[in-house]
Amino acid sequence: DETAALFPDSFEESELGIIPKGWSVKPIHEELEICGGGTPSTKNPEFWDGDYAWTTPKDLANLKSLLNIETERKLTKAGVSKISSKLLDKFSVLMSSRAPIGYIAISGVPTSINQGFIGFPKQERYSPLFISNWLVFNMHEIKSRSGGATFAEINRTSFRTIPFLRPSDQLLTLFSNCASSILEQLLTLTESTATLISLRENLLPKLISGELQIPKELLVS
């Protein structure tokens, strides 16, 4: 009953059509912080093979979880400094903006991003799960604003003006409180899965080759 009471019992007209009374519609850039990324010079070894994650759309292509905790390439501190958005905090939301548009992930580690993303640094008001679900629900509108001769791309200028439906502060707070524990559990499960996959990939070849033997007492008859 307490949750239901947070939802209006009447509606009103808006540029998006009928919306709950008291909610508002604003350009998305007025509600969410948005950033882009970049690629440090690949010819300068001082920027690469460091300790800082650097995410590209390729890292999300075969992602099995909403959270991404590993990247193919990493940057040094000097490399991170060459990207305007620097290092985004853990639980920032990433959406690929070209080649293709629409890969969506929540970063499970602090990360820099390349120019193929629109990034949403961790926000105080909006849960990463709220933002990622909004992106999924509005993907048709996002793609309809894309352009590009070689491949479809949506730039930040076009994205910034997309109408964003803003619920009440009370509802946003309730959602964030519920979602925070879910997000932490999802990160724990994602990390555990990655550990198990790594163990399997290391142990299986040794078991097949006979380098390792399973003790007879552990074998199930």
Side-chain angles (χ1 to χ4, degrees):
D1 291 341
E2 292 179 1
T3 301
L6 296 176
F7 289 87
D9 58 2
S10 58
F11 298 87
E12 57 189 7
E13 289 284 350
S14 78
E15 64 179 281
L16 292 178
I18 297 293
I19 64 171
K21 188 174 182 178
W23 292 20
S24 60
V25 178
K26 297 181 179 180
I28 190 170
H29 76 92
E30 293 185 12
E31 287 296 309
L32 299 180
E33 182 183 352
I34 299 168
C35 69
T39 301
S41 172
T42 55
K43 297 179 180 180
N44 191 335
E46 293 182 1
F47 298 155
W48 299 95
D49 301 321
D51 300 319
Y52 300 95
W54 179 68
T55 308
T56 73
K58 182 180 178 182
D59 293 312
L60 307 189
N62 298 309
L63 194 62
K64 304 299 183 183
S65 168
L66 178 61
L67 269 74
N68 185 49
I69 61 173
E70 188 56 57
T71 59
E72 182 178 350
R73 301 199 68 181
K74 289 183 168 58
L75 299 175
T76 62
K77 189 174 182 178
V80 171
S81 71
K82 295 297 180 180
I83 299 177
S84 60
S85 53
K86 301 299 189 289
L87 200 66
L88 303 183
D89 289 338
K90 180 178 73 172
F91 294 150
S92 294
V93 179
L94 314 178
M95 184 198 79
S96 63
S97 56
R98 64 182 187 180
I101 297 172
Y103 288 155
I104 297 169
I106 298 172
S107 180
V109 296
T111 187
S112 294
I113 56 177
N114 84 341
Q115 62 274 16
F117 283 110
I118 292 176
F120 305 83
K122 187 178 179 182
Q123 321 261 324
E124 182 177 349
R125 178 179 292 166
Y126 291 97
S127 161
L129 290 177
F130 187 101
I131 297 171
S132 59
N133 277 283
W134 184 91
L135 291 170
V136 171
F137 186 79
N138 289 276
M139 189 52 62
H140 177 75
E141 175 66 20
I142 293 169
K143 289 182 177 180
S144 74
R145 294 172 177 245
S146 66
T150 305
F151 47 77
E153 176 179 7
I154 181 166
N155 57 43
R156 276 180 288 160
T157 301
S158 298
F159 185 88
R160 283 166 55 87
T161 59
I162 294 176
F164 182 86
L165 180 60
R166 186 187 186 284
S168 66
D169 288 337
Q170 297 94 325
L171 199 57
L172 283 173
T173 298
L174 178 63
F175 184 92
S176 294
N177 290 341
C178 293
S180 60
S181 60
I182 295 174
L183 200 56
E184 290 291 350
Q185 291 178 40
L186 182 58
L187 178 58
T188 298
L189 291 172
T190 301
E191 292 172 338
S192 298
T193 299
T195 299
L196 290 173
I197 291 174
S198 178
L199 285 172
R200 181 195 64 190
E201 292 178 348
N202 281 289
L203 291 176
L204 191 58
K206 295 181 180 181
L207 289 169
I208 292 175
S209 67
E211 183 180 346
L212 287 179
Q213 298 288 332
I214 299 177
K216 291 183 179 180
E217 59 269 21
L218 296 181
L219 295 174
V220 177
S221 58

